[in-house]
Amino acid sequence: MIDTFLGYRRENGTVGVRNHIAIIPSVFCSAKVAQRIAQNVPGAIAFSHPVGCSQVGEDLEITAKTLIGIGRNPNFAGVVVVGLGCERFMPAELAHGIAPTGKMLETVVIQDVGDSIKAIEIGTRYARKMQQKASLERREEVSVSELMIGLNCGGSDTTSGLVANPALGIASDKLVAQGGSSILTELTELLGTEHILARRAVNEQVAQDILRVIGAMEERLKRQTANSSNTKRKHLISTGNYDGGLSSVVEKSLGGMKKSGNAQFVEVFKSGDAPTQKGLLLMDGPGHDGEVTTGEVAAGAQIICFPTGRGTPSGFPGVPVIKITGNPRTFERMQENIDVNAGTVILGQKSLQQVGEEIYREILAVASGKMSKAEVLGHDEQFCITRMP
């Protein structure tokens, strides 16, 4: 029997676990107007960012794909695109990319309507109408095969790789086995594990893709650290990771890969793109928490699962982030920020399998409407568009 959750069925068949209105500026110049519109409408969320102009080539392409992907995410019932009018990433292109979803969609361009005050008035009117219509929508029972989770970790310590990540891997395996999807990424923190991950590929092409993207990331990191005059800048893990008991990036990688469980990888795709397959996926992207989560949400993830040994309160706008820790001391200190205490395994109170099941049940509860602690506290720090190095 396939498990279910209560979600919002969208016109294009996808399912959201939240029902927000997204206000997306096409360029940083219109970010404040987007913020003001969101402030005027309960449940509206502004995605302020510092890009959209003075970018070229792949850098601009990543911005375009990511913002379109955010707008397409099923957690948003409607989108108001806010443009300036002379930017490189034009608001019409952003709206055109979102339109195939069939969701509510409007565009306001500051230079076209006259000034920022008028743009706020018009955008607010659009968002209010959308919110009123969205308020009539009701959750319905749907299969977990409609669910995609993003896997991310930050503030890691020794308990992350020993407990929290493997427990999340158990939950991920259970979701994937029922037709759902799970995204592993943070390639900067998978160095040294590529041969292990490649053995779990569904076919030779996927295996070669895994080896290629992690190898390319290692070469990029070599170039970036080669000429640094500060030896601390060459370290591939943070000082907090060292303080938490991790000795090297390889040790962190061996623990980090455990988030993906034991399922087979079915596809490798780039950050900013959307996968074409369901199942366990590898996203070609960096290790920065914000860039990781943003890429996963742009790919369609409705929930982010985030193990943290040392603890972090951060969240993502409009997408619930479930915090998990394997460190019982961290849970005691940060109970208002941590959703699942996997430290019970360290204390001998529960088995790894039991905590994996606990995480899986928490995913279903959050998918059905339970607010994560990051949501309750209004944390939204993880929205961050990847820039080319």
Side-chain angles (χ1 to χ4, degrees), residues 187 191-192 194 213-223:
L187 299 196
L191 304 183
E194 57 271 19
V213 297
I214 296 179
M217 181 61 74
E218 184 171 8
E219 289 303 312
R220 185 183 305 167
L221 290 171
K222 285 181 181 178
R223 292 194 304 270

Side-chain angles (χ1 to χ4, degrees), residues 277-289:
Q277 304 290 323
K278 280 191 171 185
L280 181 60
L281 310 159
L282 181 67
M283 186 177 80
D284 181 6
H288 178 273
D289 292 343

Side-chain angles (χ1 to χ4, degrees), residues 118-312:
K118 290 178 182 176
I120 293 168
E121 291 174 352
I122 294 169
T124 298
R125 195 176 304 121
Y126 287 151
R128 282 175 176 166
K129 288 181 180 179
M130 290 181 187
Q131 190 62 281
Q132 188 172 35
K133 186 174 180 180
S135 70
L136 298 175
E137 297 177 5
R138 295 293 178 265
R139 292 180 180 269
E140 61 182 75
E141 188 173 14
V142 293
S143 165
V144 294
S145 62
E146 302 289 352
L147 200 57
M148 178 188 289
I149 62 172
L151 309 175
N152 189 5
C153 61
S156 299
D157 68 4
T158 52
T159 69
S160 297
L162 290 173
V163 175
N165 292 348
L168 178 55
I170 291 170
S172 175
D173 280 347
K174 188 164 185 175
L175 176 66
V176 169
Q178 297 180 84
S181 298
S182 184
I183 305 173
L184 178 69
T185 183
E186 299 174 286
L187 299 196
T188 55
E189 297 170 7
L190 292 176
L191 304 183
T193 68
E194 57 271 19
H195 60 295
I196 303 172
L197 300 177
R199 288 201 295 265
R200 291 167 48 197
V202 70
N203 56 42
E204 182 60 25
Q205 181 59 59
V206 174
Q208 290 303 314
D209 287 343
I210 292 171
L211 294 173
R212 174 180 53 81
V213 297
I214 296 179
M217 181 61 74
E218 184 171 8
E219 289 303 312
R220 185 183 305 167
L221 290 171
K222 285 181 181 178
R223 292 194 304 270
Q224 290 177 328
T225 58
N227 298 318
S228 178
S229 60
N230 187 329
T231 57
K232 291 183 179 180
R233 305 282 191 253
K234 297 185 178 184
H235 292 189
L236 298 183
I237 63 175
S238 70
T239 54
N241 292 154
Y242 286 128
D243 292 342
L246 296 173
S247 64
S248 67
V249 69
V250 174
E251 185 176 11
K252 185 174 184 178
S253 297
L254 288 168
M257 73 173 185
K258 291 293 186 179
K259 298 192 296 291
S260 64
N262 295 299
Q264 288 186 307
F265 287 94
V266 298
E267 184 178 0
V268 177
F269 69 97
K270 286 186 176 182
S271 180
D273 289 345
T276 61
Q277 304 290 323
K278 280 191 171 185
L280 181 60
L281 310 159
L282 181 67
M283 186 177 80
D284 181 6
H288 178 273
D289 292 343
E291 294 175 331
V292 167
T293 302
T294 301
E296 291 173 334
V297 172
Q302 305 107 311
I303 293 174
I304 304 298
C305 295
F306 194 116
T308 174
R310 294 177 61 82
T312 174

Side-chain angles (χ1 to χ4, degrees), residues 3 14-15 30 32 45 86 184 187 205 215 234 252 274 304 315-316 341 344:
D3 290 324
T14 59
V15 177
S30 56
K32 182 57 69 174
I45 296 172
C86 58
L184 178 69
L187 299 196
Q205 181 59 59
K234 297 185 178 184
K252 185 174 184 178
I304 304 298
F316 192 91
N341 178 17
T344 51

